[in-house]
Amino acid sequence: MKRKLLTLLLAGSMTATMFAGCGGNDPEPATDNNASNASTDDDASKADDNNSVEDTSAPEEDASVEEQTLKVAAFEGGYGADMWSEVAEAFEASHPGVTVELTIDKKIEDVISPSMKAGDYPDVVHLATGREAALTETLTKEKALLELTDVLDMTVPGEDVTVKDKVIPGFFDTLGTNPYGDGVTYYAPMFYSPCGLFYNAGLLKEKGWDVPTTWDEMWELGDKAKEEGIALFTYPTTGYFDAFTYALLDSAGGSDFYNSCMTYEDGIWESDNAKKVFDLIAKLAEYTESSTVANANDQGFTKNQQLILDNKAIFCPNGTWLPGEMAEAPRADGFEWGFMAVPAVNEGGKGSSFTFFEQMWIPAAAENQDMAKEFIAYMYSDEAASIFAKSGAVQPVAGMTDQLDDDNKLFYGIYDNGATAVMGGFASTAPVEGVSMADTLFGTVNSIVSGEKTVDEWQKAVEEASDQLREAME
Amino acid sequence: MNVKKGKARSIFIGVCVAPAVILFFIFMIIPTFNVFKMSLYKWGGYSNNKEFVGFENFSKLMQDTNFLRSFQNSILLVVCVTVVTMALALIFAAIISREKIKGENFFRVIFYIPNILSVVVISAIFAAIYDPTTGMLNSILGIFRGDKDPILWLGDQKLVIFSLVIAMIWQAIGYYMVMYMASMASVPESLYESADLEGANHVQQFFSITLPLIWTNIRTTLSFFIISCINLSFQFVKALTNGGPDGATEVFLSYMYKQAYTNSSYGYGMAIGVIVFLFSFGLSALVNLATKREPLEF
Amino acid sequence: MKKKKEMSAKSLYRLFVYVVLLALAISIIVPVAWVFMASVKENSEFYGNPWTLPKGFYFQNFIDAFETANMGQYLWNSVLVTVMALAMLLVVALPASYVLARYRFIGSKIINILFMGGLFINVNYIVVPIFLMFVDGDTFLRKIGFADGFFLNNLFVLALVYAATALPFTIYLLSGFFITIPRDYEEAAHVDGSGYFRTMIQIMMPMALPSIITVILFNFLSFWNEYIIAMTLLTGEAKTLPVGLMQLTQAQRAAANYGQLYAGLVIVMLPTLILYIMVQKKLTQGMSLGGLKG
């Protein structure tokens, strides 16, 4: 599973948000012009349903249970679809009268957005940010999501703890759950996984090279390897620099600096700390395997990952899905995956690793909002979390890692050596025409590697994009 | 009598033209009008918050270096692909239909195949051909230039656009060849026979008979090709490079999609749509004007 | 002596022509054959050299593609949409092109210019406004009691949109042909007392046959391969083949399962190839007909 690479394929990837058109139901009914005749109807029926939800969700009233259908749309990632059916069944069993209507798809955006445009909204959507079609981001920018702050204080169904107490501390404090940076939660954190540097542990062992723990050791290793025709570094596509860069930023300047970067503070990208990160990536570019850029696209990224398996490169930034993704690929004798946090940028500082997590949210126009919130609260129950864990999906619930297999214990043990966990990406802004931070900050890496652009040009472009996005923050 | 005839004529014209005009109006004119209209708004796509901003989207476009770059790329692609494809297609069509080539039908069938393939299939093929280490192109070139650094067909920012050009020519050439063969087949054989008697060779015949007689068709295809080139360049870019590396192959339609659908700038995207429309209209009009000849009847 | 020299220069030239033609043919055959070859490879074979021959025939790829993706149904949908769209297109476009090429009447100039302008309209960006129009239409229908709506998820409506968006190109192409036919034919027909409709159908249409076949061939392919409109207007279970392929390729990508991807490509390619070879024969027939007519 590659969270940002799933998409593409001609315009298809676009269609998700392409139906951007028909008046969806706006949470602020003010400027309603011609488009949505349906919204008033929906609002009316929504109100009805809300009442009925309250009736049924009270467990005492079993006798008068009203049948209701909860429409759940979930992205089918590398964990498979079965766990969702199982969780849906378990939810139905614990909530009499509720039927869960599941829609699961690897391109869930394409499946749900057309009907959303036509006024037919799912009640709960599990879909991460950072996907190419950016449906979640679009709805966020359009303020079409339901506020979830009250879910934090809800009791997890079947248990006597609140959601807030169940979830690992820190997860609800990030831009990954509070996209506007104002402390109001709109996304519920789901399946987390650390991102870091994967490396060719078998090769290092064979050559008797130590695993570098600082960037200086890293460069030494790079020079040693170069003599033997092995490159230090490769990357699948520049999209994978997001987690890597986030980790570097946090390591370079601490969490306050990191949050300033993510909220586009004036001049932050021209600061010394930022400069350290730019320079470091530029230096890494010199150690990058020469054919990497040619394959750093959605058609060819597996070839870059294959470089590691073939002993042609040592490190690449990636997430925990990588070994599974390359499970069937041939490999050099004695090959073994290694996984580590990103080494500290400052001497004696802490290493860091970005924690990627997926999100679940409720469209503001959903019909069964209360039941939808109940469903989200249920996601953190031991029952649900165990079902997910069987497929390798780890909920941010304390104690979950104990249930994992050995491979996964390695991944989730990345923080045990004192590496900082970095969470949450850039703050949401109103759309700014022609400006994309991802393209400017990460896409440019290709040009740095091929020498088309200098670090100064890069840094300047990022600061400019940051300036423009800051103005659009609300 | 005359009045009656006039009435019959009017009915005939009305019955023949009205359905086409009505369909065209509903499904093309009105949506296009909406594209123009939306280009004057700031709108994310989902909400009802449409804000009228006049020509602001356009003035932003003129300062958007990414857009200007995609514009350059588009022009480069259109010009290269059009010139090479047209020239080769005409020559091959003439050779196959005039020289008594054995296996004419075989060649015709084969040459047309790329055009019936989906762009997705072609992109998968070319991704394999362009592979830096195991690709067909580099392994063949390796025979001549030895084991130097491999050429990065899709990684070198100066080269990658021409890698796209090759894939597009490969895809389009058969289409236009069959088109020209169809029109060359309607050139009367007797003209060539008398030219043979006068001692004109085949090259002369090509320029004095074939070209002038299928000129209308060439003009048609030329104008059309520019449109389809803009369309196809987008599909190829999406499937093969996704605009990369770092925007080196971004074309204006792919940029439009990026803006309208992943950057939530729907109005801005539609403004690019308007520019694409005006551009293709202008370019085709120019080509049309430059190639105007009296249609020959035979 | 001199004649002999000419002969050898000529045969050298012919040899050169053959070499060039063959080289082009090979550059097409090899990659296409490669896709077929790749479709019977096991997934692990994709990570090495892509030009190696498959170890064996791994037909499971095809079974998987048919079972996981609903390819049979998509195939039928595609056939249905393409045939309906072509029929509608010809019925509407043929008389219109003839009249626009041959008759001057009030507004004829404007209509001609509009259709010309239509050539420059890119379907890629008008599909969203079209979709919005249908959404409004369906919303209206729901209001007055037709709960299912009509415009979205309707193969016939999709075919109608295909036909409509192909009009400018088709009319331009056919008018271009009609203009080159001498007026003598119609004048003779009128002298014989033939009416407008009869002249058009019995005299002009047969002459236009090669062009009509060209039009059918081109539009067939563009309808068959079209997926942007199909994907937008068919939001439910019914899909056309290219949309199905898109889903298949994306699904395969998610699991990096190349064998199934290429099997899917073959499933999509094969009917087109077979159909093309059939149409190809018709095309040849039409061409020789046109040639004879002069």
Side-chain angles (χ1 to χ4, degrees), chain A residues 43-378:
Chain A
D43 289 342
S45 57
K46 196 195 300 168
D48 290 348
D49 285 329
N50 285 352
N51 294 335
S52 59
V53 171
E54 275 153 29
D55 289 345
T56 40
S57 55
E60 290 85 358
E61 289 179 301
D62 265 347
S64 64
V65 184
E66 198 184 316
E67 293 291 321
Q68 68 169 291
T69 306
L70 186 73
K71 287 184 285 186
V72 178
F75 164 66
E76 181 190 346
Y79 307 120
D82 293 345
M83 63 180 194
W84 282 108
S85 333
E86 216 177 309
V87 162
E89 273 168 36
F91 185 75
E92 282 171 353
S94 60
H95 294 75
V98 177
T99 314
V100 176
E101 196 184 297
L102 257 185
T103 313
I104 311 168
D105 201 281
K106 285 171 172 155
K107 289 281 291 170
I108 193 71
E109 301 97 326
D110 289 355
V111 179
I112 58 172
S113 36
S115 37
M116 280 165 64
K117 300 318 295 177
D120 181 12
Y121 283 78
D123 296 310
V124 185
V125 180
H126 169 78
L127 177 66
T129 51
R131 305 252 307 154
E132 180 154 350
L135 177 64
T136 306
E137 283 89 338
T138 303
L139 288 171
T140 310
K141 288 175 185 173
E142 296 274 304
K143 304 233 158 122
L145 297 180
L146 189 72
E147 194 183 314
L148 297 182
T149 311
D150 50 340
V151 174
L152 294 183
D153 296 318
M154 280 171 73
T155 310
V156 175
E159 297 171 19
D160 47 13
V161 275
T162 60
V163 170
K164 196 163 49 186
D165 294 337
K166 193 90 191 273
V167 172
I168 297 174
F171 271 91
F172 277 112
D173 306 330
T174 71
L175 289 167
T177 50
N178 314 334
Y180 306 110
D182 56 357
V184 183
T185 303
Y186 287 89
Y187 309 141
M190 299 284 287
F191 321 142
Y192 76 109
S193 71
C195 298
L197 286 171
F198 271 89
Y199 62 91
N200 189 336
L203 180 70
L204 294 186
K205 219 179 275 174
E206 185 194 317
K207 300 272 181 194
W209 294 336
D210 290 332
V211 179
T213 51
T214 66
W215 283 106
D216 284 338
E217 288 174 28
M218 193 71 115
W219 309 135
E220 265 171 48
L221 174 67
D223 293 332
K224 255 191 283 182
K226 203 182 258 173
E227 281 167 24
E228 307 208 14
I230 301 166
L232 178 70
F233 189 71
T234 184
Y235 53 91
T237 73
T238 52
Y240 286 74
F241 272 91
D242 54 355
F244 184 66
T245 310
Y246 295 157
L248 287 175
L249 286 169
D250 192 273
S251 172
S255 64
D256 285 346
F257 168 75
Y258 177 71
N259 281 330
S260 306
C261 292
M262 295 298 113
T263 47
Y264 317 106
E265 201 181 287
D266 195 9
I268 197 80
W269 292 99
E270 286 166 341
S271 64
D272 290 344
N273 282 331
K275 176 80 175 151
K276 275 187 239 167
V277 173
F278 285 117
D279 285 340
L280 197 145
I281 294 177
K283 184 151 189 198
L284 201 51
E286 292 166 23
Y287 287 94
T288 299
E289 205 275 340
S290 62
S291 69
T292 296
V293 182
N295 286 323
N297 52 52
D298 302 286
Q299 292 261 357
F301 70 94
T302 46
K303 292 177 191 159
N304 286 341
Q305 296 175 172
Q306 182 67 31
L307 292 172
I308 308 271
L309 292 167
D310 289 342
N311 284 349
K312 286 179 184 157
I314 302 174
F315 284 92
C316 86
N318 221 311
T320 53
W321 56 82
L322 178 66
E325 190 173 87
M326 302 303 284
E328 284 191 53
R331 57 203 63 212
D333 287 337
F335 179 84
E336 219 179 289
W337 286 112
F339 186 53
M340 60 183 238
V342 179
V345 175
N346 302 313
E347 219 167 304
K350 271 186 180 180
S352 56
S353 158
F354 181 76
T355 296
F356 169 72
F357 57 86
E358 298 179 29
Q359 287 107 335
M360 188 177 256
W361 39 267
I362 303 176
E367 286 186 11
N368 304 313
Q369 298 185 345
D370 288 339
M371 188 48 79
K373 285 178 179 170
E374 176 86 1
F375 186 77
I376 289 184
Y378 177 74

Side-chain angles (χ1 to χ4, degrees), chain A residues 2 10 19 22 114 298 302 330, chain C residues 47 132 227 232 235 253 258:
Chain A
K2 355 162 167 139
L10 310 187
F19 312 102
C22 100
D298 302 286
T302 46
Chain C
Y47 290 92
L132 296 186
Y227 67 89
T232 316
T235 56
R253 262 156 199 272
Y258 296 101

Side-chain angles (χ1 to χ4, degrees), chain A residues 1-2 6-13 15 18-22 35 37-38 41 106-107 110 114 117-118 298-299 302 306 325-326 328-330, chain C residues 42-44 47-48 124 127-128 131-132 135-136 139-140 142-143 152 227-228 231-233 235 246-247 249-258:
Chain A
M1 183 205 68
K2 355 162 167 139
L6 294 168
T7 44
L8 152 94
L9 265 284
L10 310 187
S13 53
T15 26
M18 154 177 219
F19 312 102
C22 100
N37 301 323
D41 295 348
K106 285 171 172 155
K107 289 281 291 170
D110 289 355
K117 300 318 295 177
D298 302 286
Q299 292 261 357
T302 46
Q306 182 67 31
E325 190 173 87
M326 302 303 284
E328 284 191 53
Chain C
E42 277 185 63
N43 206 33
S44 61
Y47 290 92
N124 281 332
V127 62
V128 178
F131 174 78
L132 296 186
V135 169
D136 286 347
T139 314
F140 173 75
R142 273 197 205 101
K143 262 210 174 126
L152 293 175
Y227 67 89
I228 293 177
M231 194 179 228
T232 316
L233 300 186
T235 56
M246 294 275 301
Q247 285 225 331
T249 54
Q250 271 146 7
Q252 301 327 318
R253 262 156 199 272
N257 199 338
Y258 296 101

